[in-house]
Amino acid sequence: MTAVDADTRAGAGVPGEAVGPLVRGVGVLRRLAEAGGRLSPSALERATGLARSTVDRITATLARMGHVRLDGRDVVLTPGVMELGNAYLAALRLPALLGARADALADELDESVSLAVADLDGIRFIHQATRRRALSVSFRIGDLLPAERTAPGALFAAEWTEADWTRWRARRAGDPLDTHFPAAPPRGEPAVPPRDEPAVPPRGEPGGEVAFTRRVERARRDGWALDDQLIEPGLVAVSVPVRDPGTGRVACVASVVSHTSRHSAADLRTSLLPRLRAAVAAMEDDLRTAPPPEPRPAPAGLAAWTTASKHELGRDFVESLARGLTVLTAFGEGRPALSLTDVARATGLSRATARRALLTHEHLGLVAAHDDRTFTLTPRVLDLGFPPLSRTSLPRLAEPHLRALANRVHEPTALAVLTPDGTEIQYTAGAGASRVLTVRITVGARLPAAATSLGRVLLADTGTPPAHGLTEVRAQGYALVDEELESGLRSVAVPVRDRTGRTVAALNVATHAARRSLEECVRDLLPALRATADHVQRDLHTASRFAQVTPS
């Protein structure tokens, strides 16, 4: 199996014991991820080679699981699908242990910093600390790149066996244009090499292997590697391996990434490499001194709900697909390697069902089987929808929930944050209602914080103790404003909290005084508003576990 499997198309080459619907469902998630997270059913039909009825049943099942939603005619990935990738990243532990060091280095250097792991003959990002500039690096957590076009790839290849090199050569011969690496820029003109190396020709032309093997030898000798515009003209990077203290092998690779208008390759070697090496030394100390993960109880009965869903949805719910995907979430922090019995116990599946799911995942490259009869997740799990969602924002997460709330209560809704000085709110998302008399607030508009329900919720949670008059708002968990900003305008707002419990935004519903009394606002609007805030927070907590979610 290579790093660029296309085995989910039409089910070709699937082992006899594999779960066919699971193979096809994984294929749908992969095609959605490759397309940026949104495709129409007909486009999915063409991309997967599946019948339209099969696509419809798979997407209905994934929607029931919270992995996709139907938006008009399109199927759209939701933050819920990130739970699959979160299971891998939590089991890996490296992002949790080393991410803060990478973020601090990015702040120190004012450059993007990434952590990557090996994925067979490719490299896959597990952490990104990206500078927000007009010209910035667009790689995301979960993106897969060919090893030979990156600096981390040379460092990983320094540990390859002959079987690894054979697989790499086969992949290059079978995919000369990198078509199975959606995150890689198209292969075009020869890349610009370091001054003392020959140009790197496009894949499939003589000399490509020679150039890569020379870079690998240099990486093995020097203990670091350079990408001087190998992946794309103008992009440069320097990489250093982070070694596992127990085995001495490369656990991951830390890279500083820039562009030639800011740093030349020589600059990276002289000015940034020493500081990268110092950060990597600190990372290796962190790995050496990190306490073992606390054994956490395995989740119980993850698949128990599938029977009820099957009874409710009937033929439209593919139970074997749902059960197969829940197997992936049995892994996690403190549960990096599980036996068949462990998986069956965690999911509530029979051993036979769990075994077939694990065999299917092994065939798809999502799970690796080991000699001690345990299984572990592979980086390939991040293929299942993680990259397009790993660089999202709170407004994007909130928008579908705001639309659903507006449709439910027939009133306009909005999301807002405090401005840096704390005197105003800024609207970041909203959904209107089909009324003649309605509130229309433009995204980006600002209003005085103290005069709005949104602002009062935000202000109530920014100070300890809260500002004068906001103690009650904090205690009751909502703010109700009656015709203070404008005559006839009433609104009620609740907070949106991040994973730490900190209020990062507020959500409101606005109405006209002639339509709802104050009592009706609390009785009818507040419960729906709180339920919507819960949905937004759930997505925020899932999406931000290992990825950064910007507030606006």
Side-chain angles (χ1 to χ4, degrees), residues 157-477:
E159 296 182 342
W160 281 1
T161 64
E162 186 54 40
D164 295 325
W165 282 102
T166 299
R167 179 176 54 230
W168 174 75
R169 294 184 188 102
R171 187 261 295 164
R172 294 178 75 233
D175 183 29
L177 299 179
D178 291 342
T179 57
H180 290 104
F181 292 90
R187 182 174 283 278
E189 296 298 321
V192 180
R195 285 177 296 178
D196 56 347
E197 291 190 5
V200 182
R203 181 81 52 76
E205 294 186 8
E209 181 173 341
V210 172
F212 182 46
T213 54
R214 288 187 63 182
R215 289 199 302 276
V216 172
E217 288 302 318
R218 175 170 293 182
R220 183 183 291 116
R221 181 192 69 215
D222 296 341
W224 57 273
L226 190 69
D227 171 358
D228 190 355
Q229 307 178 75
L230 294 172
I231 192 72
E232 186 172 71
L235 186 70
V236 290
V238 61
S239 300
V240 173
V242 181
R243 297 193 177 275
D244 185 296
T247 65
R249 293 180 62 83
V250 179
C252 67
V253 170
S255 304
V256 178
V257 186
S258 188
H259 56 83
T260 51
S261 297
R262 292 177 58 84
H263 290 283
S264 66
D267 290 338
L268 295 181
R269 287 192 291 260
T270 57
S271 62
L272 300 189
L273 178 58
R275 287 186 278 181
L276 174 59
R277 278 178 156 163
V280 165
M283 291 179 184
E284 291 177 339
D285 284 341
D286 290 342
L287 293 182
R288 191 175 299 109
T289 59
E294 293 196 10
R296 298 189 176 187
L302 290 175
W305 61 275
T306 61
T307 300
S309 296
K310 182 67 175 178
H311 286 162
E312 182 179 341
L313 298 180
R315 187 177 179 278
D316 289 335
F317 185 77
V318 186
E319 191 170 15
S320 56
L321 167 59
R323 288 181 167 181
L325 290 177
T326 64
V327 163
L328 300 177
T329 58
F331 298 82
E333 186 176 358
R335 304 188 306 278
L338 299 177
S339 67
L340 172 58
T341 300
D342 294 332
V343 172
R345 183 183 301 118
T347 58
L349 298 173
S350 69
R351 283 174 56 89
T353 301
R355 177 178 173 275
R356 289 192 66 202
L358 287 167
L359 288 174
T360 305
H361 288 313
E362 184 180 7
H363 162 69
L364 296 172
L366 303 173
V367 162
H370 302 280
D371 292 340
D372 61 356
R373 305 182 73 176
T374 64
F375 299 85
T376 58
L377 299 181
T378 74
R380 196 71 50 82
V381 174
L382 294 172
D383 268 345
L384 307 184
F386 207 94
L389 294 166
S390 68
R391 278 197 176 177
T392 191
S393 65
L394 182 54
R396 280 187 62 190
L397 295 180
E399 281 169 357
H401 300 297
L402 294 179
R403 291 197 301 269
L405 176 61
N407 291 337
R408 177 180 174 184
V409 301
H410 306 292
E411 301 285 5
T413 68
L415 184 79
V417 297
L418 272 181
T419 56
D421 64 6
T423 63
E424 294 180 310
I425 60 164
Q426 182 171 11
Y427 288 89
T428 58
S434 298
R435 290 185 178 275
V436 175
L437 184 63
T438 189
V439 177
R440 299 190 187 278
I441 300 293
T442 304
V443 170
R446 297 187 176 193
L447 291 174
T452 63
S453 61
L454 291 162
R456 291 183 184 180
V457 164
L458 293 166
L459 291 170
D461 281 354
T462 56
T464 304
H468 176 69
L470 297 177
T471 302
E472 185 179 1
V473 171
R474 176 182 288 188
Q476 65 190 13

Side-chain angles (χ1 to χ4, degrees), residues 95-96 98-115 127-131 141 279 283 546-548:
L98 307 181
R101 294 281 188 190
D103 295 344
L105 181 62
D107 291 338
E108 175 190 342
L109 302 180
D110 194 26
E111 298 289 353
S112 296
V113 174
S114 66
L115 300 177
H127 184 82
Q128 289 281 355
T130 304
R131 302 295 87 184
I141 296 173
M283 291 179 184
F546 294 105
Q548 183 180 13

Side-chain angles (χ1 to χ4, degrees), residues 78-145:
T78 68
V81 78
M82 296 179 77
E83 289 288 12
L84 304 176
N86 284 345
Y88 163 72
L89 294 171
L92 184 66
R93 293 191 77 202
L94 293 177
L97 293 175
L98 307 181
R101 294 281 188 190
D103 295 344
L105 181 62
D107 291 338
E108 175 190 342
L109 302 180
D110 194 26
E111 298 289 353
S112 296
V113 174
S114 66
L115 300 177
V117 295
D119 189 348
L120 298 183
D121 53 358
I123 69 110
R124 196 178 293 271
F125 295 112
I126 59 169
H127 184 82
Q128 289 281 355
T130 304
R131 302 295 87 184
R132 298 186 70 180
R133 297 193 180 101
L135 186 63
S136 62
V137 179
S138 62
F139 291 133
R140 307 159 300 183
I141 296 173
D143 276 340
L144 177 70
L145 299 178

